[in-house]
mmCIF file of all heavy atoms in Angstrom:
data_model
loop_
_atom_site.group_PDB
_atom_site.id
_atom_site.type_symbol
_atom_site.label_atom_id
_atom_site.label_comp_id
_atom_site.label_asym_id
_atom_site.label_seq_id
_atom_site.Cartn_x
_atom_site.Cartn_y
_atom_site.Cartn_z
ATOM 1 N N GLU A 1 289.347 266.279 163.547
ATOM 2 C CA GLU A 1 288.007 265.804 164.000
ATOM 3 C C GLU A 1 286.914 266.375 163.060
ATOM 4 O O GLU A 1 286.002 265.691 162.704
ATOM 5 C CB GLU A 1 287.746 266.299 165.409
ATOM 6 C CG GLU A 1 286.511 265.609 166.016
ATOM 7 C CD GLU A 1 286.331 265.903 167.512
ATOM 8 O OE1 GLU A 1 287.355 266.101 168.164
ATOM 9 O OE2 GLU A 1 285.199 265.935 167.981
ATOM 10 N N ALA A 2 287.056 267.647 162.717
ATOM 11 C CA ALA A 2 286.039 268.240 161.773
ATOM 12 C C ALA A 2 286.158 267.508 160.417
ATOM 13 O O ALA A 2 285.062 267.330 159.767
ATOM 14 C CB ALA A 2 286.257 269.737 161.684
ATOM 15 N N LEU A 3 287.341 267.198 159.981
ATOM 16 C CA LEU A 3 287.539 266.547 158.678
ATOM 17 C C LEU A 3 286.879 265.126 158.742
ATOM 18 O O LEU A 3 286.259 264.784 157.706
ATOM 19 C CB LEU A 3 289.030 266.445 158.396
ATOM 20 C CG LEU A 3 289.380 266.017 156.997
ATOM 21 C CD1 LEU A 3 288.796 266.907 155.957
ATOM 22 C CD2 LEU A 3 290.855 265.799 156.810
ATOM 23 N N ILE A 4 287.013 264.469 159.822
ATOM 24 C CA ILE A 4 286.417 263.167 159.935
ATOM 25 C C ILE A 4 284.890 263.231 159.895
ATOM 26 O O ILE A 4 284.200 262.453 159.219
ATOM 27 C CB ILE A 4 286.872 262.432 161.181
ATOM 28 C CG1 ILE A 4 288.382 262.141 161.041
ATOM 29 C CG2 ILE A 4 286.047 261.134 161.389
ATOM 30 C CD1 ILE A 4 288.961 261.569 162.366
ATOM 31 N N ALA A 5 284.343 264.216 160.582
ATOM 32 C CA ALA A 5 282.870 264.481 160.581
ATOM 33 C C ALA A 5 282.370 264.777 159.192
ATOM 34 O O ALA A 5 281.328 264.317 158.794
ATOM 35 C CB ALA A 5 282.521 265.553 161.537
ATOM 36 N N LEU A 6 283.121 265.636 158.515
ATOM 37 C CA LEU A 6 282.761 266.011 157.126
ATOM 38 C C LEU A 6 282.759 264.817 156.203
ATOM 39 O O LEU A 6 281.848 264.613 155.383
ATOM 40 C CB LEU A 6 283.718 267.115 156.600
ATOM 41 C CG LEU A 6 283.413 267.603 155.151
ATOM 42 C CD1 LEU A 6 282.036 268.232 155.062
ATOM 43 C CD2 LEU A 6 284.501 268.575 154.770
ATOM 44 N N ALA A 7 283.812 264.071 156.257
ATOM 45 C CA ALA A 7 283.970 262.879 155.417
ATOM 46 C C ALA A 7 282.777 261.846 155.700
ATOM 47 O O ALA A 7 282.225 261.321 154.772
ATOM 48 C CB ALA A 7 285.289 262.176 155.667
ATOM 49 N N SER A 8 282.495 261.616 156.921
ATOM 50 C CA SER A 8 281.393 260.664 157.242
ATOM 51 C C SER A 8 280.091 261.242 156.820
ATOM 52 O O SER A 8 279.220 260.437 156.369
ATOM 53 C CB SER A 8 281.436 260.348 158.752
ATOM 54 O OG SER A 8 281.263 261.535 159.536
ATOM 55 N N ALA A 9 279.888 262.531 156.928
ATOM 56 C CA ALA A 9 278.612 263.110 156.439
ATOM 57 C C ALA A 9 278.483 262.906 154.946
ATOM 58 O O ALA A 9 277.399 262.609 154.472
ATOM 59 C CB ALA A 9 278.584 264.571 156.802
ATOM 60 N N ILE A 10 279.557 263.099 154.215
ATOM 61 C CA ILE A 10 279.519 262.903 152.721
ATOM 62 C C ILE A 10 279.210 261.448 152.376
ATOM 63 O O ILE A 10 278.381 261.168 151.534
ATOM 64 C CB ILE A 10 280.837 263.379 152.111
ATOM 65 C CG1 ILE A 10 280.988 264.872 152.238
ATOM 66 C CG2 ILE A 10 280.938 262.897 150.671
ATOM 67 C CD1 ILE A 10 282.309 265.428 151.846
ATOM 68 N N ILE A 11 279.870 260.539 153.136
ATOM 69 C CA ILE A 11 279.642 259.116 152.869
ATOM 70 C C ILE A 11 278.212 258.748 153.142
ATOM 71 O O ILE A 11 277.564 258.028 152.367
ATOM 72 C CB ILE A 11 280.582 258.250 153.696
ATOM 73 C CG1 ILE A 11 282.030 258.473 153.239
ATOM 74 C CG2 ILE A 11 280.203 256.793 153.672
ATOM 75 C CD1 ILE A 11 283.110 257.857 154.153
ATOM 76 N N ILE A 12 277.655 259.197 154.254
ATOM 77 C CA ILE A 12 276.239 258.863 154.620
ATOM 78 C C ILE A 12 275.300 259.460 153.584
ATOM 79 O O ILE A 12 274.353 258.817 153.158
ATOM 80 C CB ILE A 12 275.956 259.407 156.032
ATOM 81 C CG1 ILE A 12 276.806 258.567 157.049
ATOM 82 C CG2 ILE A 12 274.444 259.295 156.281
ATOM 83 C CD1 ILE A 12 276.737 259.084 158.451
ATOM 84 N N ALA A 13 275.566 260.720 153.180
ATOM 85 C CA ALA A 13 274.671 261.304 152.242
ATOM 86 C C ALA A 13 274.685 260.610 150.887
ATOM 87 O O ALA A 13 273.604 260.384 150.247
ATOM 88 C CB ALA A 13 275.138 262.810 151.962
ATOM 89 N N ARG A 14 275.879 260.191 150.401
ATOM 90 C CA ARG A 14 275.952 259.425 149.209
ATOM 91 C C ARG A 14 275.226 258.157 149.297
ATOM 92 O O ARG A 14 274.541 257.657 148.327
ATOM 93 C CB ARG A 14 277.437 259.158 148.794
ATOM 94 C CG ARG A 14 278.088 260.459 148.305
ATOM 95 C CD ARG A 14 279.548 260.219 147.911
ATOM 96 N NE ARG A 14 279.556 259.261 146.782
ATOM 97 C CZ ARG A 14 280.696 258.805 146.337
ATOM 98 N NH1 ARG A 14 281.850 259.078 146.792
ATOM 99 N NH2 ARG A 14 280.652 257.972 145.287
ATOM 100 N N ARG A 15 275.333 257.431 150.417
ATOM 101 C CA ARG A 15 274.651 256.153 150.606
ATOM 102 C C ARG A 15 273.100 256.359 150.626
ATOM 103 O O ARG A 15 272.407 255.607 150.015
ATOM 104 C CB ARG A 15 275.079 255.553 151.961
ATOM 105 C CG ARG A 15 274.498 254.175 152.222
ATOM 106 C CD ARG A 15 275.027 253.573 153.516
ATOM 107 N NE ARG A 15 276.464 253.494 153.448
ATOM 108 C CZ ARG A 15 277.186 253.323 154.544
ATOM 109 N NH1 ARG A 15 276.672 253.316 155.704
ATOM 110 N NH2 ARG A 15 278.489 253.178 154.403
ATOM 111 N N LEU A 16 272.637 257.452 151.255
ATOM 112 C CA LEU A 16 271.224 257.730 151.321
ATOM 113 C C LEU A 16 270.688 258.000 149.888
ATOM 114 O O LEU A 16 269.634 257.562 149.466
ATOM 115 C CB LEU A 16 270.904 258.908 152.251
ATOM 116 C CG LEU A 16 271.061 258.570 153.700
ATOM 117 C CD1 LEU A 16 270.850 259.876 154.485
ATOM 118 C CD2 LEU A 16 270.018 257.535 154.150
ATOM 119 N N ILE A 17 271.458 258.804 149.100
ATOM 120 C CA ILE A 17 271.062 259.081 147.745
ATOM 121 C C ILE A 17 271.000 257.815 146.908
ATOM 122 O O ILE A 17 270.054 257.588 146.122
ATOM 123 C CB ILE A 17 272.022 260.115 147.135
ATOM 124 C CG1 ILE A 17 271.840 261.496 147.811
ATOM 125 C CG2 ILE A 17 271.823 260.239 145.652
ATOM 126 C CD1 ILE A 17 272.900 262.484 147.415
ATOM 127 N N ARG A 18 271.966 256.937 147.053
ATOM 128 C CA ARG A 18 271.964 255.712 146.324
ATOM 129 C C ARG A 18 270.822 254.854 146.717
ATOM 130 O O ARG A 18 270.126 254.340 145.774
ATOM 131 C CB ARG A 18 273.309 255.007 146.524
ATOM 132 C CG ARG A 18 273.496 253.789 145.626
ATOM 133 C CD ARG A 18 274.791 253.096 145.872
ATOM 134 N NE ARG A 18 275.943 254.000 145.650
ATOM 135 C CZ ARG A 18 276.858 254.292 146.599
ATOM 136 N NH1 ARG A 18 276.709 253.770 147.785
ATOM 137 N NH2 ARG A 18 277.790 255.100 146.292
ATOM 138 N N VAL A 19 270.503 254.622 147.988
ATOM 139 C CA VAL A 19 269.350 253.907 148.321
ATOM 140 C C VAL A 19 268.072 254.489 147.795
ATOM 141 O O VAL A 19 267.213 253.746 147.306
ATOM 142 C CB VAL A 19 269.321 253.727 149.907
ATOM 143 C CG1 VAL A 19 268.083 253.119 150.379
ATOM 144 C CG2 VAL A 19 270.552 252.899 150.334
ATOM 145 N N ALA A 20 267.906 255.819 147.966
ATOM 146 C CA ALA A 20 266.684 256.455 147.503
ATOM 147 C C ALA A 20 266.569 256.305 145.986
ATOM 148 O O ALA A 20 265.489 256.138 145.448
ATOM 149 C CB ALA A 20 266.701 257.921 147.968
ATOM 150 N N TRP A 21 267.694 256.378 145.334
ATOM 151 C CA TRP A 21 267.662 256.317 143.824
ATOM 152 C C TRP A 21 267.153 254.959 143.393
ATOM 153 O O TRP A 21 266.480 254.836 142.397
ATOM 154 C CB TRP A 21 269.063 256.589 143.314
ATOM 155 C CG TRP A 21 269.132 256.858 141.849
ATOM 156 C CD1 TRP A 21 269.263 255.993 140.805
ATOM 157 C CD2 TRP A 21 268.992 258.156 141.216
ATOM 158 N NE1 TRP A 21 269.266 256.655 139.664
ATOM 159 C CE2 TRP A 21 269.037 257.928 139.850
ATOM 160 C CE3 TRP A 21 268.831 259.472 141.741
ATOM 161 C CZ2 TRP A 21 269.054 259.080 138.982
ATOM 162 C CZ3 TRP A 21 268.775 260.503 140.856
ATOM 163 C CH2 TRP A 21 268.866 260.305 139.474
ATOM 164 N N THR A 22 267.571 253.933 144.038
ATOM 165 C CA THR A 22 267.171 252.555 143.663
ATOM 166 C C THR A 22 265.804 252.146 144.133
ATOM 167 O O THR A 22 265.258 251.214 143.590
ATOM 168 C CB THR A 22 268.261 251.550 144.077
ATOM 169 O OG1 THR A 22 268.428 251.643 145.497
ATOM 170 C CG2 THR A 22 269.556 251.827 143.366
ATOM 171 N N THR A 23 265.332 252.733 145.240
ATOM 172 C CA THR A 23 264.062 252.272 145.776
ATOM 173 C C THR A 23 262.901 253.182 145.438
ATOM 174 O O THR A 23 261.752 252.722 145.455
ATOM 175 C CB THR A 23 264.155 252.195 147.300
ATOM 176 O OG1 THR A 23 264.537 253.462 147.851
ATOM 177 C CG2 THR A 23 265.185 251.135 147.738
ATOM 178 N N ARG A 24 263.123 254.467 145.206
ATOM 179 C CA ARG A 24 262.049 255.370 144.887
ATOM 180 C C ARG A 24 261.846 255.507 143.369
ATOM 181 O O ARG A 24 262.818 255.588 142.610
ATOM 182 C CB ARG A 24 262.325 256.796 145.404
ATOM 183 C CG ARG A 24 262.593 256.761 146.915
ATOM 184 C CD ARG A 24 261.234 256.547 147.670
ATOM 185 N NE ARG A 24 261.459 256.532 149.066
ATOM 186 C CZ ARG A 24 261.162 255.548 149.922
ATOM 187 N NH1 ARG A 24 260.632 254.418 149.437
ATOM 188 N NH2 ARG A 24 261.434 255.653 151.202
ATOM 189 N N ARG A 25 260.612 255.514 142.902
ATOM 190 C CA ARG A 25 260.344 255.614 141.489
ATOM 191 C C ARG A 25 259.453 256.871 141.281
ATOM 192 O O ARG A 25 258.586 257.202 142.057
ATOM 193 C CB ARG A 25 259.567 254.429 141.026
ATOM 194 C CG ARG A 25 260.199 253.109 141.274
ATOM 195 C CD ARG A 25 261.461 252.931 140.456
ATOM 196 N NE ARG A 25 262.101 251.655 140.754
ATOM 197 C CZ ARG A 25 263.161 251.176 140.133
ATOM 198 N NH1 ARG A 25 263.704 251.859 139.187
ATOM 199 N NH2 ARG A 25 263.738 250.044 140.488
ATOM 200 N N TRP A 26 259.755 257.568 140.218
ATOM 201 C CA TRP A 26 258.846 258.677 139.812
ATOM 202 C C TRP A 26 258.861 258.816 138.307
ATOM 203 O O TRP A 26 259.670 258.193 137.588
ATOM 204 C CB TRP A 26 259.321 260.045 140.512
ATOM 205 C CG TRP A 26 260.714 260.433 140.080
ATOM 206 C CD1 TRP A 26 261.080 261.268 139.083
ATOM 207 C CD2 TRP A 26 261.941 260.044 140.774
ATOM 208 N NE1 TRP A 26 262.415 261.433 139.091
ATOM 209 C CE2 TRP A 26 262.981 260.680 140.108
ATOM 210 C CE3 TRP A 26 262.211 259.248 141.833
ATOM 211 C CZ2 TRP A 26 264.281 260.556 140.453
ATOM 212 C CZ3 TRP A 26 263.531 259.040 142.240
ATOM 213 C CH2 TRP A 26 264.576 259.757 141.512
ATOM 214 N N ASP A 27 257.935 259.567 137.771
ATOM 215 C CA ASP A 27 257.705 259.622 136.319
ATOM 216 C C ASP A 27 258.818 260.054 135.510
ATOM 217 O O ASP A 27 259.170 259.522 134.445
ATOM 218 C CB ASP A 27 256.432 260.459 135.988
ATOM 219 C CG ASP A 27 255.226 259.743 136.571
ATOM 220 O OD1 ASP A 27 255.158 258.584 136.804
ATOM 221 O OD2 ASP A 27 254.126 260.437 136.736
ATOM 222 N N THR A 28 259.471 261.189 135.984
ATOM 223 C CA THR A 28 260.564 261.828 135.162
ATOM 224 C C THR A 28 261.887 261.383 135.650
ATOM 225 O O THR A 28 262.905 262.143 135.569
ATOM 226 C CB THR A 28 260.386 263.363 135.227
ATOM 227 O OG1 THR A 28 260.509 263.757 136.566
ATOM 228 C CG2 THR A 28 259.051 263.849 134.673
ATOM 229 N N ARG A 29 262.046 260.130 136.144
ATOM 230 C CA ARG A 29 263.221 259.625 136.726
ATOM 231 C C ARG A 29 264.274 259.424 135.559
ATOM 232 O O ARG A 29 263.930 258.703 134.607
ATOM 233 C CB ARG A 29 262.930 258.291 137.400
ATOM 234 C CG ARG A 29 264.171 257.646 138.003
ATOM 235 C CD ARG A 29 263.629 256.426 138.736
ATOM 236 N NE ARG A 29 264.725 255.755 139.445
ATOM 237 C CZ ARG A 29 265.464 254.773 138.960
ATOM 238 N NH1 ARG A 29 265.195 254.215 137.805
ATOM 239 N NH2 ARG A 29 266.432 254.212 139.757
ATOM 240 N N PRO A 30 265.493 259.940 135.746
ATOM 241 C CA PRO A 30 266.491 259.690 134.693
ATOM 242 C C PRO A 30 266.840 258.183 134.678
ATOM 243 O O PRO A 30 266.670 257.489 135.713
ATOM 244 C CB PRO A 30 267.688 260.495 135.205
ATOM 245 C CG PRO A 30 267.093 261.513 136.112
ATOM 246 C CD PRO A 30 265.908 260.893 136.727
ATOM 247 N N SER A 31 267.286 257.711 133.568
ATOM 248 C CA SER A 31 267.520 256.251 133.394
ATOM 249 C C SER A 31 268.878 255.836 134.068
ATOM 250 O O SER A 31 269.036 254.685 134.364
ATOM 251 C CB SER A 31 267.557 255.901 131.928
ATOM 252 O OG SER A 31 268.591 256.681 131.289
ATOM 253 N N HIS A 32 269.803 256.761 134.279
ATOM 254 C CA HIS A 32 271.076 256.407 134.839
ATOM 255 C C HIS A 32 271.161 256.811 136.334
ATOM 256 O O HIS A 32 270.453 257.628 136.832
ATOM 257 C CB HIS A 32 272.216 257.046 134.080
ATOM 258 C CG HIS A 32 272.243 258.571 134.246
ATOM 259 N ND1 HIS A 32 271.422 259.369 133.484
ATOM 260 C CD2 HIS A 32 272.948 259.335 134.973
ATOM 261 C CE1 HIS A 32 271.642 260.642 133.842
ATOM 262 N NE2 HIS A 32 272.622 260.613 134.749
ATOM 263 N N ARG A 33 272.056 256.084 136.999
ATOM 264 C CA ARG A 33 272.253 256.392 138.448
ATOM 265 C C ARG A 33 273.363 257.440 138.567
ATOM 266 O O ARG A 33 274.238 257.464 137.788
ATOM 267 C CB ARG A 33 272.674 255.119 139.181
ATOM 268 C CG ARG A 33 271.551 254.093 139.326
ATOM 269 C CD ARG A 33 272.086 252.816 139.905
ATOM 270 N NE ARG A 33 272.689 253.023 141.155
ATOM 271 C CZ ARG A 33 273.270 252.021 141.871
ATOM 272 N NH1 ARG A 33 273.322 250.824 141.381
ATOM 273 N NH2 ARG A 33 273.899 252.290 143.033
ATOM 274 N N PRO A 34 273.295 258.221 139.593
ATOM 275 C CA PRO A 34 274.332 259.228 139.784
ATOM 276 C C PRO A 34 275.650 258.638 140.303
ATOM 277 O O PRO A 34 275.673 257.492 140.773
ATOM 278 C CB PRO A 34 273.786 260.160 140.907
ATOM 279 C CG PRO A 34 272.751 259.245 141.613
ATOM 280 C CD PRO A 34 272.216 258.319 140.605
#
């Protein structure tokens, strides 16, 4: 159960990072996506 919770937390975090990476803009933004 803990492993499932950890895996889902990682998946959600990666999804949030990807969405924020593509929707948020800032001056010193790297050109590539993580």
Side-chain angles (χ1 to χ4, degrees):
E1 189 172 331
L3 187 62
I4 294 172
L6 179 63
S8 59
I10 291 172
I11 291 170
I12 292 170
R14 289 181 62 186
R15 184 177 300 163
L16 288 174
I17 291 170
R18 188 178 301 119
V19 169
W21 195 270
T22 55
T23 58
R24 303 286 180 238
R25 306 290 180 176
W26 61 93
D27 292 340
T28 58
R29 179 176 187 263
S31 58
H32 67 280
R33 290 173 55 184

